[in-house]
Amino acid sequence: MALRILLLTILFSGIGLAAPEAGVSDSAVADEPIKVVATFPVLKDLVQQIGRERVTVTSLLSGLENEHTYTPKPTDILAIREGRMLVQIGLGLEVWVDGLIKNADNHRLLIITTSKGVPLLKSQDSPTGSPSLGDPHIWLDPENAKRMVRHITEGLLKIDPAHKDDYLKSQAQYIQDLDRTQQRLMTKLKSLQNKKIISHHAAWSYFARRFGFTIRGSIASQAGAEPSAKHLSDLIRMIKAEKIRVIVSEPQLNPKLPQILAQETGAKVVVLTPIPGALPGAETYRAMIEYNVNQLVDALKD
């Protein structure tokens, strides 16, 4: 209750937060960049690739937080209050965003859910007691990222139809770039024989399916839940029996458990990131995908 009062006080303090006057159309401010709010850095990057100089994008997460346990800040409401478009993944990943949207009370806000129409894998990482809507980590497959880009383009066209040709040209160029990146990585992967890995948490199914890795198990089977001693013992036996050489960790998660498994089995911990900006060399979506594949190729080489 105290947090809600604080947020409402900030919102209605009158410091530059007045809503646009009735009758003011988007064309009246067409020369100003469109203010877009993205829930994740990956979405920020995709919006920037399509909107370029026509947009200014704020990401609510920086890339170092755990998306399942993120606690919104008062500045998040301010960003949404002033935004023209909000881009989210959906599928219950951003459980915290609906409350922000409601409190921001921005009736001009266009909400783009980028998971619409994406073929989903079964989620193995839902918080305990929460219904599963499908695995939300869709962006880790570049083929899904293309569909997400198209949703973003459609949103920008609704807000700013005068620059339709620019947005469509940027979309076509970016999809071509994604295709080239994916083809280059597939060529690198051909030489690998053993592609079995253990993941820290179940975020990598789309990535593994696209690039041919086999996830034999995850340390944390559910978001926000600690693994049991039996589960860890079973993983240790599996790693030894199947000669699994790589345990994937993430900068957003505690590295202690992957390190313990590595010490017990001789496997190598490889730190990958599901979110751009969390590791040097992985600042954009394309760079992140390339970084993750290259790290695994180096670790799994015979």
Side-chain angles (χ1 to χ4, degrees):
M1 178 63 71
L3 177 59
R4 179 177 175 84
I5 292 172
L6 171 62
L7 296 177
L8 291 175
T9 301
I10 293 172
L11 281 175
F12 298 107
S13 61
I15 304 175
L17 294 180
E21 293 181 12
V24 176
S25 67
D26 288 335
S27 60
V29 290
D31 292 334
E32 298 179 6
I34 299 166
K35 292 183 179 180
V36 181
V37 178
T39 54
F40 286 89
V42 62
L43 297 174
K44 176 181 179 179
D45 181 52
L46 296 182
V47 172
Q48 288 175 327
Q49 296 296 334
I50 306 306
R52 302 194 180 184
E53 73 279 358
R54 296 294 313 150
V55 298
T56 58
V57 193
T58 300
S59 177
L60 301 184
L61 272 72
S62 69
L64 294 174
E65 305 93 342
N66 182 338
E67 65 271 19
H68 299 289
T69 58
Y70 178 66
T71 300
K73 309 177 295 296
T75 51
D76 294 342
I77 286 190
L78 302 183
I80 294 172
R81 178 68 177 84
E82 296 178 345
R84 185 63 183 84
M85 184 166 89
L86 182 139
V87 184
Q88 63 178 353
I89 302 293
L91 300 173
L93 187 64
E94 306 103 324
V95 295
W96 34 266
V97 78
D98 288 344
L100 292 174
I101 294 170
K102 181 178 180 180
N103 284 328
D105 194 29
N106 179 353
H107 299 292
R108 298 177 71 247
L109 186 69
L110 176 65
I111 299 172
I112 300 297
T113 301
T114 56
S115 60
K116 287 185 177 179
V118 174
L120 301 178
L121 297 175
K122 183 179 178 181
S123 177
Q124 304 296 325
D125 193 32
S126 298
T128 304
S130 297
S132 174
L133 302 174
D135 187 341
H137 303 89
I138 56 172
W139 66 92
L140 288 169
D141 180 347
E143 291 299 317
N144 291 341
K146 294 176 190 177
R147 192 181 294 259
M148 296 166 70
V149 161
R150 293 186 179 101
H151 285 309
I152 290 166
T153 304
E154 289 168 4
L156 292 173
L157 291 177
K158 287 181 181 178
I159 296 171
D160 186 20
H163 293 88
K164 174 181 177 180
D165 291 345
D166 293 335
Y167 297 135
L168 292 177
K169 181 179 178 180
S170 296
Q171 174 187 272
Q173 181 62 58
Y174 188 66
I175 288 175
Q176 278 188 344
D177 291 341
L178 281 177
D179 285 338
R180 283 193 289 266
T181 298
Q182 189 173 325
Q183 290 166 7
R184 184 169 60 251
L185 294 174
M186 289 297 192
T187 299
K188 286 186 177 184
L189 289 163
K190 287 181 180 179
S191 61
L192 294 183
Q193 300 300 315
N194 181 356
K195 294 184 180 180
K196 295 179 182 179
I197 61 175
I198 298 292
S199 64
H200 195 153
H201 90 295
W204 298 93
S205 295
Y206 295 100
F207 177 85
R209 182 184 63 175
R210 179 57 53 196
F211 294 107
F213 297 102
T214 301
I215 301 173
R216 292 295 292 124
S218 296
I219 296 172
S221 57
Q222 290 183 319
E226 289 294 323
S228 66
K230 181 182 184 302
H231 180 65
L232 294 177
S233 296
D234 290 343
L235 283 179
I236 289 171
R237 282 194 293 271
M238 178 192 295
I239 293 168
K240 290 179 177 178
E242 299 188 16
K243 297 181 172 57
I244 298 172
R245 297 163 55 187
V246 167
I247 300 167
V248 171
S249 187
E250 303 168 29
Q252 298 87 3
L253 302 176
N254 190 326
K256 182 178 178 181
L257 290 177
Q259 290 169 355
I260 290 173
L261 289 185
Q263 291 167 3
E264 291 291 327
T265 63
K268 180 179 181 181
V269 175
V270 176
V271 180
L272 309 182
T273 179
I275 301 177
L279 292 172
E283 287 81 8
T284 67
Y285 175 74
R286 285 174 56 217
M288 178 195 74
I289 292 294
E290 196 150 8
Y291 176 91
N292 288 337
V293 172
N294 286 337
Q295 290 294 109
L296 287 175
V297 168
D298 290 344
L300 290 168
K301 281 180 180 177
D302 292 331

